[in-house]
C-alpha cells in the first residue's frame, strides 16, 4: 500500500488512475494543476508522485524546478508521465537534472501502471 | 694648282739639267767644242760637271716625284744618283785639297786645249764642287728631320752661288765666276745658270711635302750617310797618298793607272760596304716598323722576323711576344664584347617575351574582369571598358575621382576600415561589395584589391579586379529566403506534430483505460453483448493510439530528426522484451515464437530496435496460420555487423511486391488490413530506423511457404 499523489490537468485521467490504483489497494490524492500539486506536497508526504508535464499555467517542468530548489521537497519520489512526444535526449536531461525516478510515455494501460507503481 | 706647278717646275728644271748634262757629255766624248761650251769660245763645262748634272738632275727629279707620293723608284734612284755625284765630288775635292789631279776627271776624255787656262786640266771650278756637295747635303737634309731647317737655305745658297757667277760674267770680273789663276778654273756660264735653276728646283721639290712612308728610307739613309761621312776623311787620305806616289814616279803610266784603280776601288768598296751594312742594320728595323704599322692598322696576323741572334732579333722576339699578348687581349676583348652582345640580345628577347606575356595577361584580364587602378589615396587613375559599362560612368568622369563615389551605403564603416587596414599593409583584400552606379542602381561585385608596392615596400597603387555577381547575389537572396521559409515550415510541422501527439493521445487515455476496466470487471459485471462492444471500442482506441505514434515516428524519420540513444546492448535482451510483449497474444492464437538469437552485442538505440522487432513480429503474427504458426528469431555475425532474421511460415509475399513493402502506407492486400489491423506504416518506420543506424533491412520470401525479414545493426563492443 502506497500513498500516491497524481498531478494531471485532465480530470478524466486522474480519475482513471485513481480507480485503477485504489482497486489495487493504494491510497490516492489527485490534483489538476501544478500549484495544487506543490501545496499537496508541502502539506503531506507521499510514497510516489505521478506528474504530468504538459499542463496549462504551471507546467510539470515548473513544478520540478521548484521542487529542486526546495530543500524539504527535494527528497520527493517523482515519476513523470507525459503524453507529448519528448525527444529521447530530452527525457535523459529531465532524469539527470531533476533526479526523477523515470519518464514514462503515455498511453499507460492498467497492467503497465500497476507494474510501474509496484516497481518504485 | 700652284703647288703642283711648283713641283712640276722643279721636275722641268731637273730635266733641263739632265739634258744639258747629256749634251755636254756627248760633246766631250765626241770632241765637239760647241757642245762642250754651248756658247762658242766660252768657258767649257767640264766632263765631271756634266756627269754630276745628269745625276743631280735625276736625284732632284725623283725627289719631286717622292714628294708626290711615288716613292718606290725614288727610294732606289735617289741614293744611287746622290752617291755617284758624291763620288765624283769627293775625288775632285781631294784633288783641290792636295793640288794634284787624280785623273778621274779625264777618265774618258783628254782635255787638251782650253780657252781659259786652268791650274789643272779637266778640273771643274772649286765653287762647282762645293755646289754639288751642297746639293747632296740638301738631298740628305730632305730626309733628315733634324736638318729640315737647313734644306731651304741650302737651296738658296746653291742659287746664290750660280747668280754670283752670272753677275761675274755680266760685269766681266773673273773672280766672281770663281776664276783664280793657278787655283781654280772658272765656272762656265751655263753651269752657273743650271746651278741657279737647280737651287730653285731643290726648294720647289720640297713644296708641301707629304712624306708618309719616307721613314722607311730615312733610317737607311741616316746609317749610310753616317758611314760615308765617317769614311770621307780616310778616302781623302788614301787618294791624297796615291797622288803623292804618282808625283814621285812621274812618267810611269802603268803605276798611274793602277793608283787610279786603287783609289776608285777604295771608294767603291767603302760605298758598297757602307750600303750593305746600313741595309743589314736598317732592314730588320724597317721590317719591324712595317709590322708595327700593320698592327697599328689592326692586322694582328702579321709577325716580325725573328731570325738572327742580335739585339734587333731579340727586339723582334719581344715585339712578337708583346703582339701576342695584345692579340690575346684583343681576342679576349672581342669575345667579351661578343658575349656582352649575346647577353644583351638574350635579355632583350626575355624582356620582349615578358612584356608580351604581361600584355596578353592584361588583355585577358580586361576581357574577363572589371578592372581599375587607383593611387594610394583611392583616386582613380585608370579604368577598363567593363568598369565603365557596369558603373555607367564614362572614363573621363571617373579619372581623378575618388573611388568613394561608387559607395552604396550598404556596407558599414568598419567594412571599409577593414579594407583600408588590409591593403595599406600591402595585403590582398577580397570581399563581395555592393556599389552604386551613376543612375542610382546597385550592383554587386566580387572584389579583389591587390596593392602595388613601391621600392620602399609600401603600397603606391592599388589594382582592383572585380566580377559582376549582381545576379548571383539576387539568386542567393532568393535561395536564402526560400530556405528560411522551408525551415519555418519544418518547425511548424514539428510543433504541429508535438501538439497532435499530446492533444490526440490525451482523450484516448480515458477511453481505452475505462474500456479496459470494464473488460476486466473492475467496474462491475457487464453482459456478454456489452463486453463484445466495449472490446471493439478498446481495440480501436489502441489502434488509434498506435497510428498517432506511427505517424509521428514516420514524420521524424522523414525530417531526419530521429534522435537515437546509442548504447551497447545484447540482442538477446531486446528479443526477450519483444517476446514478453507478444507472448500473451501468441498464446491466445496458438502461435509459437522461438528465440534462437545468441548473446551478441549490438550498438544502437535499444528502444528503437525493439520497435523494429515489434513491427516485424506484429506483421508476422497477422499472416501466420492460427494454431500452426511459427515465428523464429535468429542472429548471426555479418562482418562488423549483426544480422537479425525473423522467419515465419506465413502466406509469403509475391516477388513483385517485395520491393514496395517498405513504402509508407503500403499494404499488400487492402482487405487484409481491416481483418488484421495495422497502420501500414510499420515497415516504413522500421526501415527509417535501421537506415538511421547505418544498417540495412530487406525481405526474402517464398509465396505460400515462408517470409524472412532481415536487418543488420552495427556490432557493439562486448562488455
Amino acid at each position: 500500500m502506497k500513498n500516491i499523489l497524481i498531478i494531471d490537468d485532465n480530470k478524466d485521467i486522474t480519475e482513471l488512475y485513481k480507480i485503477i490504483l485504489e482497486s489495487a489497494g493504494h491510497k490516492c490524492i489527485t490534483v489538476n494543476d501544478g500549484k495544487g500539486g506543490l501545496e499537496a506536497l508541502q502539506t503531506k508526504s507521499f510514497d510516489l508522485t505521478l506528474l504530468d508535464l504538459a499542463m496549462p499555467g504551471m507546467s510539470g517542468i515548473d513544478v520540478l524546478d521548484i521542487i529542486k530548489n526546495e530543500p524539504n521537497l527535494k527528497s520527493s519520489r517523482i515519476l513523470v508521465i507525459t503524453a507529448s512526444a519528448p525527444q529521447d535526449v530530452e527525457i535523459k536531461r529531465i532524469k539527470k537534472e531533476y533526479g526523477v525516478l523515470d519518464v514514462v510515455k503515455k498511453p499507460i494501460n492498467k497492467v503497465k501502471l500497476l507494474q510501474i507503481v509496484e516497481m518504485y | 694648282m700652284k703647288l703642283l706647278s711648283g713641283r712640276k717646275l722643279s721636275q722641268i728644271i731637273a730635266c733641263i739639267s739632265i739634258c744639258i748634262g747629256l749634251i755636254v757629255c756627248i760633246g766631250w766624248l765626241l770632241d765637239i767644242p760647241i757642245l762642250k761650251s754651248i756658247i762658242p769660245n766660252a768657258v767649257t763645262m767640264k766632263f765631271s760637271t756634266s756627269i754630276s748634272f745628269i745625276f743631280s738632275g735625276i736625284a732632284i727629279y725623283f725627289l719631286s716625284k717622292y714628294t708626290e707620293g711615288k716613292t718606290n723608284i725614288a727610294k732606289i734612284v735617289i741614293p744611287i744618283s746622290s752617291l755617284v755625284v758624291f763620288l765624283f765630288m769627293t775625288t775632285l775635292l781631294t784633288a783641290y785639297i792636295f793640288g794634284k789631279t787624280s785623273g778621274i776627271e779625264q777618265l774618258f776624255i783628254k782635255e787638251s786645249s782650253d780657252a781659259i787656262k786652268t791650274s789643272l786640266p779637266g778640273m771643274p771650278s772649286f765653287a762647282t764642287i762645293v755646289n754639288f756637295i751642297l746639293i747632296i747635303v740638301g738631298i740628305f737634309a730632305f730626309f733628315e728631320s733634324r736638318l729640315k731647317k737647313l734644306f731651304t737655305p741650302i737651296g738658296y745658297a746653291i742659287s746664290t752661288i750660280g747668280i754670283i757667277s752670272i753677275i761675274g760674267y755680266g760685269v766681266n770680273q773673273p773672280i766672281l765666276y770663281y776664276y783664280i789663276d793657278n787655283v781654280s778654273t772658272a765656272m762656265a756660264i751655263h753651269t752657273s745658270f743650271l746651278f741657279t735653276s737647280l737651287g730653285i728646283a731643290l726648294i720647289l721639290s720640297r713644296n708641301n711635302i707629304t712624306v708618309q712612308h719616307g721613314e722607311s728610307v730615312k733610317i737607311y739613309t741616316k746609317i749610310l750617310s753616317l758611314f760615308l761621312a765617317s769614311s770621307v776623311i780616310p778616302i781623302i787620305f788614301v787618294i791624297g797618298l796615291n797622288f803623292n806616289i804618282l808625283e814621285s814616279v812621274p812618267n810611269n803610266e802603268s803605276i798611274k793607272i793602277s793608283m787610279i784603280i786603287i783609289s776608285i776601288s777604295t771608294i767603291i768598296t767603302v760605298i758598297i760596304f757602307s750600303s750593305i751594312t746600313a741595309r743589314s742594320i736598317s732592314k730588320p728595323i724597317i721590317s719591324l716598323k712595317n709590322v708595327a704599322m700593320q698592327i697599328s692598322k689592326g692586322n694582328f696576323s702579321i709577325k716580325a722576323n725573328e731570325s738572327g741572334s742580335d739585339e734587333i732579333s731579340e727586339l723582334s722576339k719581344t715585339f712578337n711576344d708583346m703582339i701576342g699578348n695584345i692579340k690575346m687581349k684583343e681576342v679576349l676583348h672581342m669575345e667579351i664584347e661578343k658575349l656582352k652582345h649575346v647577353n644583351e640580345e638574350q635579355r632583350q628577347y626575355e624582356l620582349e617575351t615578358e612584356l608580351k606575356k604581361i600584355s596578353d595577361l592584361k588583355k585577358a584580364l580586361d576581357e574577363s574582369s572589371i578592372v581599375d587602378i587607383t593611387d594610394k589615396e583611392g583616386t582613380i587613375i585608370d579604368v577598363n571598358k567593363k568598369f565603365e559599362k557596369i558603373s555607367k560612368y564614362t572614363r573621363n568622369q571617373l579619372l581623378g575621382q575618388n573611388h568613394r563615389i561608387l559607395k552604396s551605403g550598404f556596407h558599414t564603416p568598419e567594412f571599409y576600415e577593414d579594407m583600408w587596414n588590409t591593403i595599406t599593409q600591402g595585403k590582398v583584400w577580397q570581399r563581395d561589395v555592393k556599389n552604386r552606379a551613376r543612375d542610382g542602381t546597385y550592383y554587386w561585385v566580387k572584389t579583389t584589391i591587390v596593392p602595388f608596392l613601391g621600392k620602399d615596400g609600401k603600397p603606391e597603387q592599388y589594382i582592383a579586379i572585380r566580377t559582376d555577381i549582381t545576379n548571383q547575389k539576387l539568386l542567393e537572396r532568393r535561395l536564402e529566403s526560400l530556405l528560411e521559409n522551408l525551415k519555418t515550415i519544418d518547425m511548424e510541422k514539428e510543433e504541429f506534430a508535438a501538439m497532435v501527439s499530446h492533444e490526440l493521445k490525451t482523450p484516448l487515455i480515458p477511453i481505452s483505460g475505462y474500456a479496459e476496466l470494464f473488460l476486466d470487471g473492475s467496474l462491475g459485471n457487464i453482459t456478454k453483448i456489452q463486453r463484445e462492444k466495449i472490446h471493439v471500442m478498446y481495440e480501436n482506441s489502441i489502434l488509434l493510439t498506435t497510428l498517432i505514434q506511427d505517424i509521428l515516428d514516420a514524420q521524424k524519420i522523414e525530417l531526419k530528426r530521429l534522435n537515437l540513444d546509442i548504447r551497447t546492448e545484447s540482442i538477446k535482451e531486446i528479443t526477450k522484451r519483444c517476446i514478453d510483449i507478444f507472448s500473451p497474444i501468441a498464446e491466445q492464437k496458438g502461435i509459437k515464437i522461438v528465440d534462437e538469437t545468441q548473446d551478441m552485442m549490438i550498438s544502437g538505440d535499444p528502444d528503437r530496435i525493439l520497435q523494429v522487432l515489434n513491427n516485424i513480429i506484429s506483421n508476422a503474427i497477422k499472416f501466420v496460420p492460427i494454431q500452426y504458426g511459427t515465428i523464429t528469431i535468429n542472429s548471426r555475425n555479418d562482418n562488423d555487423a549483426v544480422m537479425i532474421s525473423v522467419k515465419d511460415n506465413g502466406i509469403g509475399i509475391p516477388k513483385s511486391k517485395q520491393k514496395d513493402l517498405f513504402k509508407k502506407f503500403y499494404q499488400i492486400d487492402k482487405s487484409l488490413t481491416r481483418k488484421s489491423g495495422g497502420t501500414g506504416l510499420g515497415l516504413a518506420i522500421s526501415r527509417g530506423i535501421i537506415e538511421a543506424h547505418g544498417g540495412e533491412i530487406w525481405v526474402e520470401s517464398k509465396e505460400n511457404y515462408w517470409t524472412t525479414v532481415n536487418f543488420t545493426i552495427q556490432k557493439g563492443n562486448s562488455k
Side-chain angles (χ1 to χ4, degrees):
Chain A
M1 210 260 323
K2 279 176 180 170
N3 276 326
I4 298 166
L5 173 66
I6 304 164
I7 310 167
D8 196 320
D9 62 311
N10 191 319
K11 267 186 183 172
D12 296 339
I13 290 175
T14 52
E15 200 55 36
L16 174 66
Y17 288 170
K18 198 183 172 184
I19 292 168
I20 293 169
L21 290 172
E22 280 181 346
S23 72
H26 300 292
K27 271 193 173 172
C28 281
I29 290 176
T30 61
V31 246
N32 297 111
D33 59 82
K35 220 179 164 185
L38 277 175
E39 278 164 13
L41 279 168
Q42 297 272 17
T43 49
K44 212 181 164 202
S45 75
F46 295 95
D47 297 320
L48 194 64
T49 305
L50 304 182
L51 174 67
D52 184 28
L53 282 185
M55 290 186 289
M58 189 182 272
S59 74
I61 296 291
D62 295 336
V63 173
L64 287 172
D65 274 328
I66 292 164
I67 292 171
K68 191 181 164 189
N69 296 314
E70 283 286 325
N72 53 336
L73 297 181
K74 227 176 172 178
S75 56
S76 306
R77 293 165 57 79
I78 295 163
L79 196 69
V80 173
I81 296 171
T82 173
S84 56
Q87 302 290 328
D88 298 338
V89 191
E90 178 74 3
I91 293 170
K92 259 188 176 175
R93 191 185 68 82
I94 294 168
K95 275 190 182 173
K96 202 179 162 191
E97 202 175 326
Y98 301 106
V100 298
L101 297 170
D102 204 354
V103 179
V104 186
K105 284 190 221 175
K106 287 178 187 171
I108 306 171
N109 60 13
K110 185 182 170 182
V111 180
K112 196 172 179 183
L113 182 66
L114 290 174
Q115 256 179 15
I116 292 167
V117 170
E118 279 307 314
M119 207 189 283
Y120 298 105
Chain B
M1 282 307 281
K2 207 184 165 190
L3 295 174
L4 268 171
S5 64
R7 216 175 286 152
K8 271 270 162 353
L9 189 62
S10 101
Q11 284 168 16
I12 291 162
I13 293 166
C15 287
I16 292 167
S17 168
I18 294 162
C19 290
I20 292 175
L22 280 171
I23 292 165
V24 175
C25 200
I26 291 161
W28 280 107
L29 289 171
L30 302 176
D31 201 16
I32 304 162
I34 190 72
L35 291 182
K36 291 176 200 169
S37 60
I38 311 289
I39 302 157
N41 297 321
V43 178
T44 56
M45 187 191 279
K46 298 295 180 285
F47 177 68
S48 54
T49 310
S50 71
I51 298 287
S52 295
F53 269 124
I54 293 167
F55 285 101
S56 298
I58 291 167
I60 289 168
Y61 178 83
F62 280 101
L63 207 59
S64 168
K65 282 279 173 200
Y66 186 89
T67 316
E68 282 176 2
K70 291 160 186 167
T71 57
N72 285 347
I73 306 166
K75 253 157 60 178
I76 303 156
V77 174
I78 296 169
I80 291 170
S81 318
S82 304
L83 277 171
V84 172
V85 178
F86 185 74
L87 172 78
F88 266 109
M89 290 310 131
T90 319
T91 318
L92 294 172
L93 193 64
T94 318
Y96 261 105
I97 290 164
F98 289 90
K100 308 273 186 282
T101 173
S102 64
I104 195 169
E105 69 281 356
Q106 297 191 12
L107 198 59
F108 304 106
I109 44 107
K110 278 284 180 198
E111 199 177 337
S112 49
S113 58
D114 261 347
I116 293 166
K117 277 186 184 163
T118 53
S119 60
L120 297 161
M123 281 290 279
S125 89
F126 185 74
T128 307
I129 295 165
V130 169
N131 246 4
F132 276 121
I133 287 171
L134 277 176
I135 287 169
I136 301 306
V137 172
I139 289 166
F140 283 131
F142 178 90
F143 294 108
E144 175 54 62
S145 56
R146 271 181 297 175
L147 299 173
K148 225 185 316 188
K149 282 176 188 167
L150 285 174
F151 182 77
T152 314
I154 286 169
Y156 283 126
I158 294 162
S159 295
T160 310
I161 289 166
I163 288 163
I164 291 167
S165 172
I166 294 163
I167 294 164
Y169 278 105
V171 296
N172 203 18
Q173 279 291 329
I175 191 74
L176 289 178
Y177 48 83
Y178 315 109
Y179 176 74
I180 304 160
D181 200 17
N182 284 327
V183 178
S184 172
T185 54
M187 187 189 274
I189 180 83
H190 44 293
T191 308
S192 310
F193 274 110
L194 271 180
F195 276 131
T196 310
S197 316
L198 277 179
I200 293 158
L202 197 64
I203 295 162
L204 288 173
S205 72
R206 175 71 192 250
N207 252 345
N208 197 27
I209 183 161
T210 52
V211 183
Q212 288 165 327
H213 305 289
E215 287 84 352
S216 58
V217 211
K218 210 160 81 183
I219 188 152
Y220 172 67
T221 327
K222 258 188 203 169
I223 294 163
L224 184 60
S225 59
L226 190 73
F227 274 100
L228 290 175
S230 60
S231 60
V232 163
I233 292 158
I235 288 168
I236 288 169
F237 273 98
V238 167
I239 298 166
L241 195 67
N242 285 342
F243 292 165
N244 283 327
I245 291 163
L246 286 172
E247 198 65 16
S248 57
V249 274
N251 295 318
N252 195 330
E253 267 315 292
S254 64
I255 289 173
K256 204 177 172 180
I257 289 163
S258 72
M259 286 303 161
I260 290 163
I261 290 166
I262 287 167
S263 296
I264 292 168
S265 62
T266 305
I267 293 164
I268 289 168
T269 309
V270 166
I271 288 167
I272 290 169
F273 175 75
S274 300
S275 313
I276 291 166
T277 313
R279 194 158 184 79
S280 74
I281 294 171
S282 65
K283 198 184 167 186
I285 295 173
I286 289 162
S287 88
L288 197 61
K289 191 220 61 162
N290 284 336
V291 169
M293 267 169 63
Q294 289 286 318
I295 287 162
S296 77
K297 283 176 190 165
N299 181 6
F300 282 99
S301 58
I302 202 159
K303 260 195 167 187
N305 184 12
E306 291 179 12
S307 62
S309 57
D310 53 4
E311 286 85 350
I312 288 168
S313 66
E314 282 292 318
L315 176 67
S316 296
K317 272 181 203 159
T318 315
F319 183 79
N320 280 345
D321 287 349
M322 187 184 81
I323 296 310
N325 280 339
I326 293 172
K327 205 198 268 179
M328 202 184 275
K329 273 184 193 162
E330 186 72 16
V331 168
L332 266 172
H333 184 70
M334 268 162 66
E335 283 300 317
I336 288 166
E337 280 298 313
K338 215 188 275 175
L339 274 173
K340 268 188 193 166
H341 189 66
V342 168
N343 210 10
E344 193 67 27
E345 269 183 4
Q346 181 69 21
R347 272 189 57 198
Q348 188 68 26
Y349 175 76
E350 278 170 9
L351 209 63
E352 273 169 22
T353 318
E354 209 56 37
L355 269 174
K356 196 186 173 298
K357 227 187 266 174
I358 289 168
S359 79
D360 285 352
L361 273 176
K362 190 181 179 300
K363 200 180 160 195
L365 193 64
D366 278 340
E367 286 297 318
S368 65
S369 304
I370 301 151
V371 184
D372 81 311
I373 299 171
T374 70
D375 66 7
K376 54 185 170 184
E377 268 80 44
T379 309
I380 299 168
I381 52 180
D382 195 15
V383 295
N384 72 349
K385 281 263 180 298
K386 280 188 172 267
F387 192 102
E388 288 180 84
K389 198 181 164 194
I390 195 163
S391 70
K392 299 191 175 78
Y393 284 100
T394 66
R395 186 184 164 79
N396 286 336
Q397 286 168 331
L398 286 165
L399 296 188
Q401 290 285 339
N402 194 288
H403 208 281
R404 225 176 279 132
I405 61 162
L406 297 164
K407 262 193 185 179
S408 61
F410 176 83
H411 303 286
T412 58
E414 288 77 34
F415 180 85
Y416 293 104
E417 213 173 279
D418 168 64
M419 178 194 85
W420 279 108
N421 283 342
T422 309
I423 61 175
T424 47
Q425 282 173 35
K427 291 180 196 157
V428 175
W429 183 82
Q430 194 167 41
R431 291 286 278 276
D432 294 349
V433 181
K434 188 180 185 180
N435 279 341
R436 192 170 62 190
R438 195 185 170 209
D439 59 0
T441 57
Y442 295 99
Y443 60 92
W444 276 93
V445 273
K446 185 176 260 315
T447 304
T448 306
I449 301 178
V450 183
F452 284 167
L453 303 184
K455 275 177 188 159
D456 56 355
K458 286 176 182 163
E460 273 184 351
Q461 290 183 354
Y462 300 107
I463 181 164
I465 301 149
R466 302 177 170 87
T467 25
D468 185 359
I469 51 161
T470 311
N471 287 336
Q472 190 187 321
K473 277 277 162 187
L474 259 165
L475 280 172
E476 261 174 39
R477 281 287 140 90
R478 221 176 282 170
L479 208 65
E480 267 171 31
S481 77
L482 269 173
L483 273 172
E484 201 60 42
N485 284 347
L486 275 174
K487 267 186 200 162
T488 317
I489 289 167
D490 272 3
M491 266 165 63
E492 280 169 0
K493 260 187 177 175
E494 235 172 313
E495 273 168 32
F496 176 73
M499 191 270 286
V500 163
S501 168
H502 186 260
E503 298 305 317
L504 291 185
K505 272 197 241 167
T506 306
L508 287 167
I509 295 165
I511 295 171
S512 57
Y514 284 115
E516 207 179 2
L517 291 183
F518 270 117
L519 291 172
D520 70 4
S522 302
L523 299 174
N525 292 328
I526 47 170
T527 63
K528 199 187 172 191
I529 294 248
Q530 281 168 337
R531 175 177 292 275
E532 265 173 31
K533 301 308 169 201
I534 290 171
H535 190 77
V536 173
M537 277 166 63
Y538 176 73
E539 290 272 288
N540 278 288
S541 71
I542 294 297
L543 183 62
L544 194 53
T545 308
T546 314
L547 182 61
I548 291 164
Q549 193 55 51
D550 280 358
I551 288 170
L552 284 169
D553 282 344
Q555 194 194 14
K556 271 188 189 170
I557 287 161
E558 197 182 328
L559 295 174
K560 300 206 188 303
R561 282 178 189 277
L562 199 68
N563 288 304
L564 299 173
D565 183 14
I566 304 287
R567 273 177 282 170
T568 303
E569 197 164 318
S570 170
I571 188 71
K572 193 119 190 144
E573 285 297 318
I574 300 167
T575 49
K576 212 190 257 171
R577 277 162 67 190
C578 178
I579 289 164
D580 283 348
I581 294 167
F582 287 100
S583 52
I585 187 165
E587 265 172 45
Q588 200 184 318
K589 289 188 174 181
I591 296 164
K592 275 192 275 176
I593 302 178
V594 186
D595 184 5
E596 288 182 356
T597 55
Q598 287 146 37
D599 195 13
M600 287 169 145
M601 301 311 287
I602 53 146
S603 171
D605 187 332
D607 289 345
R608 289 297 182 186
I609 292 164
L610 175 64
Q611 193 181 347
V612 173
L613 270 174
N614 287 348
N615 284 333
I616 295 167
I617 289 173
S618 77
N619 268 339
I621 286 173
K622 284 172 207 160
F623 300 110
V624 289
I626 293 169
Q627 303 303 333
Y628 303 104
T630 310
I631 298 165
T632 314
I633 310 169
N634 217 327
S635 72
R636 62 180 144 109
N637 280 316
D638 181 34
N639 293 327
D640 52 353
V642 174
M643 189 173 101
I644 295 132
S645 311
V646 180
K647 188 173 183 178
D648 66 57
N649 56 350
I651 54 170
I653 305 156
K655 219 165 188 124
S656 59
K657 293 181 177 172
Q658 285 175 15
K659 268 194 291 175
D660 300 323
L661 208 60
F662 295 99
K663 283 185 179 168
K664 255 188 257 177
F665 298 109
Y666 183 80
Q667 274 156 350
I668 297 161
D669 187 347
K670 301 281 177 196
S671 61
L672 269 171
T673 314
R674 220 161 285 140
K675 200 170 87 189
S676 3
T679 59
L681 282 168
L683 280 177
I685 290 166
S686 297
R687 183 165 103 166
I689 290 167
I690 294 301
E691 283 176 358
H693 277 86
E696 279 180 274
I697 185 163
W698 70 100
V699 169
E700 292 165 27
S701 180
K702 188 173 181 190
E703 220 180 334
N704 299 320
Y705 290 94
W706 53 267
T707 300
T708 307
V709 182
N710 308 292
F711 65 91
T712 58
I713 288 287
Q714 195 78 24
K715 234 180 224 172
N717 297 325
S718 48
K719 279 173 192 169

